[in-house]
Amino acid sequence: GLNDLTAKKKTTLQALINDYSNSEYMDDALLALSSLYFNDGDVNEAIELSNNLIINYPFSPLVKTALLKLGLHYYNTNQQDLAIKNFKSVIKGFPASDESKEALVALKNATIEKGDVQIYFDYINSLSDVSVSIAAQDSISYEAAESLFYKEDYNNAIVAFGNYINQFEAAFFYLPACYYLAESASMSDNSDLALATYLKILDQPVN
């Protein structure tokens, strides 16, 4: 069956890695075997094989793929600092590649999940060929704050919504940001902030 086929593939690839360390296909074998282990949930083995490729075959064209796969694994397992590190490595090391474009989007998503999109903005500003419009910064910043609220991380949500409201003049999501800020304050037993923010909402003109 399928499990038997996967096991045979693993055995064949492992034999190639063990017995033919100087083979020109070593990087292919490492990446393929790591992918099989990722698919089977054997994460530690998959990470070890990926790092083997990255460290020992730095000039392989497959390094960018291995870095991106590691980054996506860390992103999907909510290890955002490690995800961000790997995505940055792809973007810096392979700027013209398709993997770099994918890593750039993934980097944005990872910083949103982390609730600290300033990491993304600062990194983008350090690149000569990429920029983010004010409108996009507004949207991304709001999305990051909202993500913290839905995770019930109310203390950090208070900071994020407060920064969003203060940072963007005529913020696109001003009213919902105020609402979520007030709700976050209420859930954090910060009644003074909650009341002041609810009053801000009531002061807004009705369209």
Side-chain angles (χ1 to χ4, degrees):
L2 184 59
N3 289 337
D4 291 337
L5 182 59
T6 300
K8 287 179 181 178
K9 285 183 179 179
K10 286 181 179 178
T11 301
T12 302
L13 290 167
Q14 191 64 62
L16 175 61
I17 293 167
N18 293 341
D19 300 336
Y20 301 95
S21 58
N22 294 323
S23 169
E24 63 180 300
Y25 301 110
M26 181 59 65
D27 53 346
D28 293 271
L30 287 167
L31 184 63
L33 188 55
S34 71
S35 296
L36 289 175
Y37 278 118
F38 269 131
N39 291 340
D40 286 348
D42 194 343
V43 172
N44 291 334
E45 189 69 29
I47 291 173
E48 183 178 342
L49 288 161
S50 298
N51 285 329
N52 186 345
L53 167 57
I54 293 163
I55 294 168
N56 295 316
Y57 302 90
F59 301 110
S60 167
L62 300 178
V63 166
K64 59 184 179 294
T65 305
L67 285 167
L68 182 59
K69 285 194 171 202
L70 279 176
L72 292 171
H73 162 70
Y74 290 129
Y75 172 78
N76 289 326
T77 54
N78 201 30
Q79 301 178 74
Q80 303 307 338
D81 289 335
L82 289 171
I84 289 167
K85 177 182 176 182
N86 280 275
F87 294 145
K88 284 183 176 180
S89 294
V90 177
I91 297 163
K92 180 179 179 181
F94 311 92
S97 66
D98 290 339
E99 287 84 356
S100 177
K101 295 175 185 176
E102 188 174 345
L104 198 58
V105 174
L107 175 64
K108 179 192 73 174
N109 293 337
T111 60
I112 288 173
E113 284 297 312
K114 182 177 170 63
D116 187 359
V117 291
Q118 195 60 47
I119 295 172
Y120 174 69
F121 297 145
D122 290 345
Y123 190 71
I124 291 296
N125 288 336
S126 74
L127 303 175
S128 60
D129 57 342
V130 183
S131 62
V132 181
S133 69
I134 295 299
Q137 290 185 39
D138 182 305
S139 178
I140 293 166
S141 297
Y142 175 78
E143 187 178 349
E146 188 180 51
S147 174
L148 291 169
F149 177 83
Y150 284 123
K151 290 177 182 174
E152 301 182 1
D153 186 355
Y154 298 120
N155 288 328
N156 284 321
I158 288 170
V159 174
F161 281 120
N163 288 341
Y164 170 78
I165 291 166
N166 293 327
Q167 182 177 356
F168 296 98
E169 186 176 351
F172 292 151
F173 304 99
Y174 178 80
L175 280 176
C178 285
Y179 172 76
Y180 285 126
L181 173 58
E183 288 289 289
S184 297
S186 178
M187 296 300 293
S188 301
D189 295 325
N190 189 337
S191 56
D192 290 342
L193 176 60
L195 178 59
T197 311
Y198 283 129
L199 290 174
K200 276 186 181 181
I201 298 171
L202 294 174
D203 284 342
Q204 294 300 304
V206 178
N207 292 329

